[in-house]
Amino acid sequence: MLATAVGIRQAAAHLRNGRLVAFPTETVYGLGADATNADAVGRVFQAKNRPAGHPLIIHTASAAAAFAVGAADPTAARLAERFWPGPLTLVLPLRSEVGIADAVTGGRSTVAVRVPRHPVAAALLRAVRRPVAAPSANPHGRLSPTEAQHVRDELGPAVDLVLDGGPTEIGVESTVLELAGDRPLLLRAGGITVEDLEAAIGPVDEPGADEPARAPGMLRQHYAPRTPLRLDADDPLPDEVYLGFGAAPGATCNLSPTGDLEEAARNLFVMLRQLDSAGARRIAVAPIPDHHLGKAINDRLRRAERGAASPGGPASLQTVCERPS
Ligand code: TXA
Ligand code: MG
């Protein structure tokens, strides 16, 4: 359903009645449920086939509402001031008095909260007036959806309503930062760069490239197309399709011909989907600089490399990479 005022009102009523609503955020589409309704939250796990114990992010309309769910310290307050609404998730000590369903946190004493800036998400959350738990709206382990049609295709009737707000702006998920220990700890690279976080609050601990599995439910294998990937490839082999970055004359798809990391993040999942349906044996991916949004892109690519299934079929390549403008 189009994300008109009427659509948003209906979606809010669905959420308040315990139904599941997929909605656009600035990062990817989320699959939302009332975070205080244990049955509704349970159905999110079922719809995604997500293992129990993988905690969900709670979305609210304001920092005040987020900090009613997770306890803010001065660092959290500064980050909220600087980056909310926007693609930053903070993991904070859970305030138990608000009645968040246990499954949302996997029974932990911390909770992940974020205030999205997409106007449809913001309007929906204002209308619901409850915290909304929303993982990315994809089957567990698969590529995150950046368009409403991806959600309809892959989650189908398990979702009561899909609000269509067009393609998402950022294209990779939010940055997840834990503020429950002595030092801010990066759990997932994402839409807000570490460079920007450090400019606001000073040093942030980051896991090394060989130990990406920090957060509970952050699997080493994730975000996967079905076709295997080969990363840091300067050129494609004969049985490969090629995902380029920057000048790449033979590329089947190009994340950003001009080498712009924001454009590349926006195109990442949609181009992997397109290349996945090309019927190639393998997807070769050009090297992506490992700074700014490149960190989030490389993190997703490394997980996708580990998560892809078996080599694809014989190369009878379909036409791919008509990026809708
Ligand atoms: O951009 C996004 O963050 C999207 C949109 C829909 O907001 N959501 C999203 O949710 O990516 P999901 O469920 O796919 O990823 C949430 C991640 C989990 O994998 C987990 O690593 C982390 O957030 N997380 C949630 N609660 C946590 C907690 N209490 N402690 C540590 N990590 C947590
Ligand atoms: Mg996800």
Side-chain angles (χ1 to χ4, degrees):
M1 160 166 233
L2 279 177
T4 57
V6 172
I8 290 170
R9 221 177 305 133
Q10 189 177 335
H14 271 328
L15 286 169
R16 292 179 65 85
N17 288 321
R19 290 196 272 270
L20 306 190
V21 172
F23 61 95
T25 80
E26 66 277 21
T27 57
V28 300
Y29 275 73
L31 177 61
D34 175 353
T36 64
N37 180 329
D39 289 339
V41 171
R43 268 183 282 116
V44 169
F45 281 82
Q46 267 169 28
K48 282 183 58 91
N49 197 18
R50 183 174 176 115
H54 288 211
L56 308 182
I57 297 172
I58 290 186
H59 298 65
T60 61
S62 67
F67 294 151
V69 174
D73 64 3
T75 306
R78 185 154 350 120
L79 289 167
E81 175 98 344
R82 173 78 182 76
F83 298 109
W84 280 351
L88 176 65
T89 294
L90 298 178
V91 174
L92 304 172
L94 173 68
R95 299 175 66 154
S96 51
E97 68 276 14
V98 277
I100 299 299
D102 275 350
V104 170
T105 61
R108 281 175 190 74
S109 59
T110 56
V111 65
V113 289
R114 102 170 177 95
V115 181
R117 73 164 179 238
H118 192 294
V120 172
L124 177 64
L125 292 166
R126 278 196 303 273
V128 178
R129 285 178 281 116
R130 285 187 202 163
V132 171
S136 52
N138 50 283
H140 179 68
R142 314 304 312 176
L143 297 167
S144 296
T146 55
E147 295 173 19
Q149 193 58 44
H150 303 158
V151 184
R152 293 190 202 103
D153 290 347
E154 291 168 14
L155 293 181
V159 187
D160 296 300
L161 191 156
V162 180
L163 272 181
D164 189 344
T168 62
E169 168 202 343
I170 295 176
V172 292
E173 298 82 351
S174 62
T175 301
V176 180
L177 187 73
E178 185 179 285
L179 294 178
D182 342 322
R183 236 163 102 109
L185 174 65
L186 183 76
L187 298 180
R188 179 175 74 184
I192 298 289
T193 68
V194 176
E195 292 87 342
D196 284 344
L197 291 178
E198 292 192 328
I201 57 165
V204 166
D205 281 349
E206 285 181 75
D210 52 345
E211 47 153 346
R214 263 278 168 62
M218 283 286 292
L219 304 180
R220 287 167 58 80
Q221 318 179 344
H222 206 343
Y223 309 106
R226 293 187 166 76
T227 314
L229 261 61
R230 184 168 69 86
L231 304 186
D232 293 319
D234 288 318
D235 290 297
L237 299 171
D239 56 355
E240 292 176 337
V241 283
Y242 190 54
L243 182 58
F245 177 81
T252 322
C253 296
N254 196 322
L255 290 169
S256 172
T258 60
D260 177 323
L261 289 168
E262 290 189 13
E263 183 182 24
R266 189 156 55 240
N267 285 332
L268 178 67
F269 288 135
V270 81
M271 288 188 175
L272 284 174
R273 278 169 195 279
Q274 288 170 327
L275 291 171
D276 205 16
S277 61
R281 252 184 79 75
R282 199 156 47 207
I283 302 169
V285 186
I288 313 291
D290 203 39
H291 57 75
H292 296 99
L293 275 179
K295 284 190 188 178
I297 296 171
N298 284 321
D299 169 82
R300 304 307 184 273
L301 286 170
R302 282 193 295 266
R303 290 179 211 278
E305 181 188 31
R306 295 190 192 96
S310 45
S316 64
L317 300 186
Q318 313 289 310
T319 311
V320 293
C321 250
E322 284 142 24
R323 177 89 175 95
S325 49

